[in-house]
Amino acid sequence: MAKSKGTALVTGGAKRLGRAFCEALAEDGYDIAVHYYTSERDAQSLIDALSAKGVTARAFGADFFDADAIETLLPAVNAAMGPVSLLVNSASIFEDDSVESVSAQSFRAHMEANTLAPVLLSKAFAAQAPEGAMIFNLLDYKLFNINADFYSYTISKAALKAVTEMLARALAPRIRVNGVAPGLTLPSPYHDEATFERLHNDNPLQCGPTPDDLVRTLRWFLATPSVSGQIVCVDGGQHFDPRLTRDVFGALGS
């Protein structure tokens, strides 16, 4: 068996895009640490599937609304699996609020899960990461075509964009930090399958992103050691679509 490339910690790794990253990184030779919050059954299913292929994989539960739980996650992975050489900050919450409806509770929830968790995990990661390690943050195309929908969510991701750029400066040359800003990739709770199918390719390229596209983006960053501080939009051109004065669900919904 080929030597492991090290341990990759993927937050929100049990489902959706996080699961796609876990499966791809396992194929590429990483040991996989799957973080989950409420999706323990999905996490264990993934661990079982990876283990059946001979991959070293373990699941780690942590509540990202609890700072103590965030701060103990990476040490727990270290203790069980050794140093983490790749941190994929994929977990996030995506709840609808607006300038009119925002509350302290909705704002804090998004900032804790989507910004504070990656900040604290990156701090712990940097303290133990080997040279050549990388942090990879999941952002959103709408940061480059801004609108006020999903108000707290958008602010939290804008903050994470700044974190990505600041960490790239602070951690060079030992650690690289990059990110991807996807467009509409998978159905969300805010639309049904038919609506998703209609909106997915409604972009300048008439080609919506897939999980495989995002996996290829992560693999490109990993394979290109001269790149840091970069954020790539993978969105079919949604970041320059002039129609998107609102979120894609609203602007293209009729």
Side-chain angles (χ1 to χ4, degrees), residues 237-254:
Q238 284 177 329
H239 68 283
F240 60 78
D241 191 334
R243 299 172 297 163
L244 296 184
T245 55
R246 297 188 58 197
D247 191 272
V248 63
F249 306 142
L252 305 178
S254 59

Side-chain angles (χ1 to χ4, degrees), residues 143-166:
L143 300 177
F144 300 89
N145 193 352
I146 203 74
N147 59 67
D149 292 351
F150 293 88
Y151 188 58
S152 293
Y153 164 82
T154 303
I155 293 170
S156 71
K157 288 295 188 178
L160 185 57
K161 175 179 180 290
V163 168
T164 302
E165 295 164 346
M166 293 170 72

Side-chain angles (χ1 to χ4, degrees), residues 132-144:
M134 192 176 85
I135 299 169
F136 185 71
N137 291 328
L138 213 63
L139 300 165
D140 195 299
Y141 86 92
K142 69 189 308 227
L143 300 177
F144 300 89

Side-chain angles (χ1 to χ4, degrees), residues 94 184 186-197 199 248-249:
F94 178 66
L184 181 62
L186 293 170
S188 84
Y190 296 97
H191 54 269
D192 57 25
E193 186 68 31
T195 303
F196 170 77
E197 292 298 332
L199 298 179
V248 63
F249 306 142

